[in-house]
């Protein structure tokens, strides 16, 4: 049983959630899918006096929006992986979701919003969201704002999320014409955390030439970064493009993250090949 | 208990209502309040899968959920898997193929296998291994578990 006493509520509207958070400030903890925050409470790493559960606040589900998608913060990995619109318009997000470890259980329980708000360098969702140029829609009792995913992730375990704020949804833009998606993750064994991830979306014309490209690397720096892909536009997805991406990804790995799984130096070394494999997965 | 709350659930088809401390995890309420100790606790971090149950038709690790979060839901535990007092086809296959030794991981393995077979009636060995990757077994070496699940699929076909 969790040691510190807390008051629990699961309001049925977002407004009530926001009012509760405004009232309790830093004494309150939001529970999304719970897969992270519940064990942290069990082990005493977090001891909130108030727990506000999002489960009834209507934040789950995927809807179409301006040719792109709006993804409720409480949408689970399983829902993302099984949604044909996600596969079509944001394929790398679906691949990411299907590749979450911990078993089907964690994919049914964990949410993309929870992962984003926790901002662990070595988790899967942040890099995928930056790669897809997502916008994070935030709400508090007094304010609402939209932040680009590339600004939302500020550093290791640090998201641009104030006390009292909730991530309501994530908007993904309409994909470019002829979009193809690639996602790759490097991990040590079947059920280990990612060492590095890369996501790309590439527009390809009728002749197989790249018209536009966006590629992001996650898990390497303390926050995901976008790789400069300007040099591959106009050519095919081939060995030359792959080599260019290797160099560009590695040269941007300037703030690498170290943990028990891998040193920063190792992450920097593998960033190039991980980026390359994501690009080739889109071929 | 100062701020206890009432929790209403359907457990293995039966309506249940219990008074709980909101600090209780779902797995603790299942074992201690509902007195269904077949669901096990291994790690309380989400890693071992021994606490797996079904909530509204989806398998979850019940140590990762506050019991309060399960208000109104339908829970199936390992005690609810047998059909009219007879082992289910899946359980019988685990029995016949030596799919467990100490049995600690068994409830979780059965639920992960059930979830797999509901979506894929004839899984490959790789698909079976992937489906149980959220469940740890310290006894069998997994081979007999994989065989048991393949056998259950073959018997259902
Ligand atoms: C066995 C296991 C395996 C795992 N494997 C992977 C893996 O392969 N890859 C990976 O990336 N992760 C993995 N995880 C981590 C997994 O917990 C997260 O990826 C998950 O998505 C977190 O989401 P959640 O909804 O459960 O978050 P919660 O635990 O509910 O919340 C996490 C944090 O975000 C906050 N929060 C949640 N939702 C919101 C919101 N809408 N607005 C504001 N704040 C919010 C909470 O207050 C908390 O601080 C694994 C976890 C386990 C237990
Ligand atoms: S006790 Fe829940 S996963 Fe180990
Ligand atoms: S049979 Fe003992 S842990 Fe699996």
């Amino acid at each position: 049983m969790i040691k510190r006493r807390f008051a629990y509520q699961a309001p049925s509207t977002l407004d009530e959630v926001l009012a509760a958070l405004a009232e309790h400030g830093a004494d309150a903890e939001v529970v999304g899918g719970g897969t992270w925050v519940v064990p942290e409470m069990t082990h005493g790493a977090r001891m909130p006096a108030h727990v506000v559960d999002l489960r009834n606040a209507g934040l789950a589900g995927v809807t179409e929006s301006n040719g792109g998608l709006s993804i409720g913060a409480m949408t689970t990995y399983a829902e993302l992986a099984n949604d044909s619109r996600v596969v079509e318009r944001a394929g790398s997000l679906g691949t990411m979701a299907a590749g979450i470890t911990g078993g089907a259980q964690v994919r049914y329980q964990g949410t993309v919003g929870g992962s984003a708000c926790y901002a662990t360098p070595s988790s899967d969702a942040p890099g995928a969201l930056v790669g897809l140029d997502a916008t994070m829609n935030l709400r508090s009792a007094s304010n609402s704002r939209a932040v680009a995913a590339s600004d939302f992730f500020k550093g290791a375990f640090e998201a641009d999320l104030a006390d009292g704020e909730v991530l309501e949804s994530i908007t993904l833009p309409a994909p470019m014409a002829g979009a193809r998606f690639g996602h790759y993750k490097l991990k040590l064994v079947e059920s280990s955390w990612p060492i590095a991830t890369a996501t790309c979306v590439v527009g390809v014309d009728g002749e197989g030439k790249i018209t536009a490209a966006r590629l992001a690397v996650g898990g390497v720096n303390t926050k995901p970064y976008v790789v400069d892909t300007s040099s591959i536009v106009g050519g095919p997805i081939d060995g030359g493009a792959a080599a260019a991406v290797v160099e560009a990804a590695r040269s941007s790995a300037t703030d690498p993250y170290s943990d028990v799984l891998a040193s920063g130096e190792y992450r920097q070394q593998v960033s190039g090949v991980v980026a390359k494999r994501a690009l080739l997965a889109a071929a | 208990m100062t701020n206890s709350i009432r929790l209403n659930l359907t457990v293995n088809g039966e309506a249940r209502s219990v008074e709980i401390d909101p600090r209780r995890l779902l797995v603790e309420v299942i074992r201690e309040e509902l007195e269904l100790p077949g669901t096990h606790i291994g790690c309380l971090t989400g890693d071992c899968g021994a606490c797996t149950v079904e909530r509204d038709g989806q398998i979850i690790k019940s140590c990762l959920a506050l019991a309060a979060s399960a208000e109104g839901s339908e829970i199936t535990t390992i005690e609810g898997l047998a059909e009219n007092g007879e082992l289910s086809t899946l359980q019988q296959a685990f029995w016949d193929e030596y799919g467990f030794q100490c049995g600690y991981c068994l409830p979780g393995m059965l639920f992960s296998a059930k979830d797999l077979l509901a979506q894929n009636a004839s899984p490959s060995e790789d698909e079976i291994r992937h489906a149980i990757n959220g469940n740890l077994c310290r006894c069998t070496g997994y081979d007999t578990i994989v065989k048991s699940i393949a056998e259950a699929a073959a018997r259902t076909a």
Side-chain angles (χ1 to χ4, degrees):
Chain A
M1 180 155 81
I2 293 164
K3 286 175 199 72
R4 164 130 188 230
R5 283 193 189 284
F6 58 78
Y8 172 87
Q9 56 179 308
S12 52
T13 66
L14 180 57
D15 285 341
E16 290 167 85
V17 165
L18 298 173
L21 294 179
E23 187 185 344
H24 302 300
D27 287 338
E29 194 73 66
V30 167
V31 172
T35 60
W36 227 321
V37 70
V38 170
E40 285 203 338
M41 290 196 288
T42 304
H43 296 285
R46 289 197 209 203
M47 297 193 275
H50 296 269
V51 167
V52 182
D53 192 333
L54 299 181
R55 66 184 290 261
N56 295 326
L59 300 184
V62 177
T63 51
E64 300 182 24
S65 133
N66 299 324
L69 295 171
S70 170
I71 295 173
M74 284 288 280
T75 307
T76 63
Y77 293 118
E79 288 171 286
L80 289 178
N82 294 325
D83 191 312
S84 59
R85 295 163 305 174
V86 173
V87 174
E88 246 166 60
R89 297 183 201 185
S92 37
L93 196 68
T95 312
M96 179 285 291
I100 294 289
T101 63
Q105 297 98 317
V106 173
R107 294 189 292 276
Y108 286 127
Q109 285 173 279
T111 70
V112 64
S115 175
C117 292
Y118 206 62
T120 314
S122 62
S123 62
D124 288 277
L129 294 174
V130 171
L132 289 163
D133 202 10
T135 300
M136 317 299 278
N137 303 304
L138 307 170
R139 285 274 301 276
S140 70
S142 56
N143 193 21
S144 73
R145 61 193 180 106
V147 181
S150 48
D151 297 326
F152 181 76
F153 299 105
K154 295 196 335 194
F157 303 99
E158 203 192 339
D160 180 6
L161 185 73
D163 280 336
E165 247 179 349
V166 160
L167 174 67
E168 181 179 14
S169 66
I170 299 169
T171 330
L172 302 177
M176 53 195 73
R180 299 183 189 177
F181 301 94
H183 186 77
Y184 184 80
K185 110 158 130 175
L186 177 73
K187 56 180 182 174
L188 294 177
V189 291
E190 169 82 11
S191 41
S192 71
W193 285 84
I195 305 286
T197 66
T199 293
C200 76
V201 45
V202 197
V204 180
D205 69 14
E207 285 150 28
K209 297 247 171 8
I210 298 170
T211 53
R214 185 176 168 95
L215 196 157
V217 171
V220 170
N221 284 346
T222 52
K223 58 182 183 181
Y225 63 93
V226 176
V227 175
D228 179 5
T229 48
S230 50
S231 72
I232 66 169
V233 173
I237 304 179
D238 63 2
V245 156
V246 170
E247 265 323 297
R250 219 185 293 162
S251 65
S252 297
T254 49
D255 175 28
Y257 178 68
S258 290
D259 64 6
V260 292
L261 290 178
S263 66
E265 202 185 354
Y266 179 81
R267 286 193 155 93
Q268 197 168 27
Q269 285 296 319
V270 297
S271 60
V273 72
V274 170
K276 166 180 147 175
R277 287 178 189 171
L279 176 70
L280 295 178
Chain B
M1 229 187 278
T2 46
N3 61 344
S4 72
I5 53 174
R6 180 146 289 277
L7 178 67
N8 303 292
L9 302 165
T10 305
V11 183
N12 299 328
E14 220 181 284
R16 301 284 299 264
S17 176
V18 284
E19 197 76 28
I20 61 157
D21 187 310
R23 295 177 292 168
R24 285 276 191 190
L25 301 175
L26 180 58
V27 66
E28 295 167 337
V29 166
I30 289 171
R31 289 174 53 84
E32 295 164 31
E33 251 79 34
L34 301 170
E35 299 184 330
L36 295 167
T39 304
H40 296 155
I41 294 176
C43 63
L44 295 181
T45 57
D47 291 291
C48 76
C51 65
T52 302
V53 300
E54 232 173 59
R55 179 180 65 196
D56 296 329
Q58 294 183 331
I59 57 171
I60 62 161
K61 293 181 175 175
S62 59
C63 72
L64 298 178
L66 295 173
S69 293
E71 170 63 30
S73 55
E74 251 177 67
I75 305 285
T76 305
T77 68
I78 186 69
E79 288 87 349
L81 274 197
E83 294 148 8
N84 307 319
E86 300 277 319
L87 293 183
S88 68
T89 306
L90 181 61
Q91 287 172 305
Q92 189 63 48
F94 269 73
W95 180 269
D96 295 338
E97 297 295 330
Y98 306 96
F100 58 98
Q101 289 176 26
C102 79
Y104 208 84
C105 66
L106 184 60
M109 289 293 179
L110 287 167
F111 275 112
S112 289
K114 182 170 181 270
D115 183 68
L116 168 70
L117 296 177
Q119 294 163 54
N120 181 351
S122 48
S124 66
E125 178 176 337
D126 274 358
E127 288 167 334
I128 294 174
R129 288 187 184 271
H130 182 72
I132 56 171
N133 76 3
N135 298 80
L136 298 179
C137 175
R138 300 290 79 165
C139 302
T140 63
Y142 301 100
D143 282 352
T144 56
I145 294 175
V146 174
K147 262 196 212 143
S148 304
I149 299 171
E151 178 62 22
R155 288 182 192 177
T156 321

